[in-house]
Amino acid sequence: MLLSTYGTRGDVEPLVALAVRLRELGAEVRICTPPDEDFAPRPAEFGIPRVPVGSPVRELMRETAPLSAAELSRYRTKLVSAQFEALPVAAAGCDVLVAAGLAQVAARSVAEAAGISYVYVAYSAVNLPSPHHAPPPRPGWPEPESDDNRTRWEMDARRVHAEFAETLNQHRAALGLPPVDDVRGHVYSGRPWLAADPVLGPWRETAGLDVVQTGAWTLPDERPLPAELVAFLDAGAAPVYVGFGSMRPSPDIGHRAVEAIRAQGHRVLVSRGWADLDLVDGREDLFAIGEVNQQRLFPRVAAVVHHGGAGTTLVAARAGVPQVVIPLPVADNPYWADRIADLGVGVALHGGAPASAALYAAIETALAPETRARAKALAARVGTDGAMLAARRLLGSRQ
């Protein structure tokens, strides 16, 4: 089987989990990811062949200013062409192609040309069209003015088609395939899979779309925490974690969060992330870390302040800790922020850089006994076997 995605760590890790479970069931698997070296260790750890495709994602995320609509369009067109060049070779000998994320525009055509099965996967319900929610924000595209979800999804489909149709159909013609008249529908297929926990991010029945929700795809992480981090954790009360993963938030957000946490008498643990947050000021109540095992770390923190990535949200929920989500207006970040607020296990702070008073109030709410109790109760309901369920279903579908 070939598993393919393009994005940050949160896009890659679920496919690694699925690949490991497929291997345990006797399947041969290879995985396509961006070429960033950040993504190489995990597939290599499990002996999974990895095929780099496209440009490094970290370079894109390091841009100090957002790319213009024209620059993003050129980037996307280049990625589609790179996929049509790499995926046919990577798919040789495979009988199933699993593609995760809308960026996988070429995948279904490659599967079609090779005569193999195709499965499209989303990691969040908000990424699939439904009248129950609006489309997620897409970089470089203005937000639709309509408040009607159906209208917004129709506009989204037109924009996706306008962005990709010419490039996609040119490559399909070269493969002897007919053109498509709805790129988004073509990529999603009529039966997409949803690799999200049904308690944390449920799918609501929607006419015309037969969604298979498997649960989130994760693996147990047994890596120990660094000795210096353990020493900091052991030296006092549980700190509040602050980290924004691969996102680049406003420079003020991190400083304001630290101030709000300290003002309430709590220690702070800062994850530098891809934004390279530099908040160390020499005081003993703050400790900075790089990439560490969140599964081991989060049960030892008092709360998690983060950007709303699907992976961070899930790990914090499983750890039973409250969350303060400060989402950037992109992809599924706002969706996960709202889910945490709706479940009563934390606070969502929309609208860019929150004021200090809003951050103080959010952290105070997150650390309240009733919020902590709800977070602990939620942890007992979140599943852990989504990747194995998906692997068994994939293998069963090809028999």
Side-chain angles (χ1 to χ4, degrees):
M1 292 190 186
L2 177 65
L3 315 182
S4 181
T5 193
Y6 187 83
T8 60
R9 183 180 300 277
D11 298 283
V12 175
E13 287 288 336
L15 283 194
V16 173
L18 177 62
V20 169
R21 296 309 186 208
L22 285 166
R23 288 272 298 272
E24 290 175 355
L25 296 175
E28 293 186 16
V29 188
R30 63 185 69 113
I31 185 171
C32 291
T33 75
D36 304 70
E37 286 307 308
D38 304 64
F39 306 140
R42 288 290 273 170
E45 179 182 343
F46 300 103
I48 300 167
R50 171 177 171 263
V51 180
V53 179
S55 302
V57 174
R58 189 159 189 167
E59 291 181 5
L60 179 66
M61 303 303 291
R62 276 179 171 167
E63 294 290 339
T64 55
L67 296 181
S68 68
E71 289 171 328
L72 281 167
S73 181
R74 288 193 292 271
Y75 186 91
R76 290 165 176 148
T77 298
K78 182 180 176 182
L79 177 59
V80 173
S81 296
Q83 290 169 355
F84 271 107
E85 181 179 349
L87 291 184
V89 178
C94 296
D95 56 1
V96 179
L97 197 166
V98 178
L102 181 59
Q104 296 295 290
V105 173
R108 187 173 182 181
S109 298
V110 171
E112 190 178 341
I116 63 177
S117 298
Y118 167 80
V119 176
Y120 173 79
V121 181
Y123 295 143
S124 303
V126 73
N127 291 319
L128 298 174
S130 169
H132 301 300
H133 55 251
R138 301 196 193 278
W141 297 354
E143 280 290 287
E145 295 180 2
S146 173
D147 291 329
D148 179 71
N149 288 339
R150 286 186 174 87
T151 301
R152 290 167 69 95
W153 276 109
E154 290 169 1
M155 295 174 68
D156 180 75
R158 290 196 294 270
R159 285 174 173 168
V160 171
H161 190 76
E163 179 78 33
F164 294 108
E166 183 178 357
T167 301
L168 174 62
N169 285 328
Q170 285 177 352
H171 285 286
R172 285 179 62 84
L175 293 173
L177 301 174
V180 300
D181 57 10
D182 174 11
V183 172
R184 196 192 68 195
H186 165 80
V187 173
Y188 285 175
S189 78
R191 199 163 196 251
W193 288 23
L194 175 57
D197 184 80
V199 172
L200 196 58
W203 174 253
R204 297 176 66 181
E205 198 81 17
T206 297
L209 205 59
D210 183 15
V211 174
V212 177
Q213 186 160 17
T214 64
W217 299 349
T218 60
L219 290 173
D221 192 342
E222 303 299 337
R223 293 175 299 160
L225 297 175
E228 298 85 353
L229 172 57
V230 173
F232 175 77
L233 294 170
D234 289 343
V240 175
Y241 170 98
V242 178
F244 299 96
S246 59
M247 299 292 106
R248 295 187 66 90
S250 163
D252 292 339
I253 291 179
H255 291 285
R256 290 177 184 170
V258 169
E259 290 173 358
I261 294 165
R262 280 173 161 165
Q264 296 178 52
H266 296 281
R267 301 192 304 156
V268 191
L269 185 61
V270 173
S271 175
R272 298 186 184 93
W274 280 14
D276 293 324
L277 286 181
D278 184 13
L279 303 177
V280 176
D281 54 10
R283 292 170 58 176
E284 294 184 356
D285 65 344
L286 185 149
F287 190 82
I289 57 173
E291 197 277 323
V292 300
N293 182 349
Q294 290 183 340
Q295 292 182 23
R296 283 186 181 256
L297 173 62
F298 283 1
R300 300 200 59 181
V301 303
V304 175
V305 179
H306 65 101
H307 61 296
T312 305
T313 303
L314 176 66
V315 177
R318 282 183 178 161
V321 294
Q323 305 180 45
V324 174
V325 188
I326 310 171
L328 272 68
V330 63
D332 58 358
N333 291 181
Y335 166 79
W336 289 116
D338 287 339
R339 286 301 302 152
I340 290 305
D342 291 346
L343 289 163
V345 297
V347 180
L349 290 175
H350 294 284
S356 297
L359 271 166
Y360 185 98
I363 291 164
E364 186 176 45
T365 298
L367 294 173
E370 57 270 24
T371 310
R372 293 189 188 202
R374 286 191 293 267
K376 288 188 179 299
L378 175 67
R381 300 167 56 206
V382 177
T384 59
D385 59 350
M388 181 56 80
L389 291 173
R392 286 175 176 152
R393 191 174 191 112
L394 276 172
L395 291 176
S397 68
R398 70 179 191 177
Q399 292 174 354

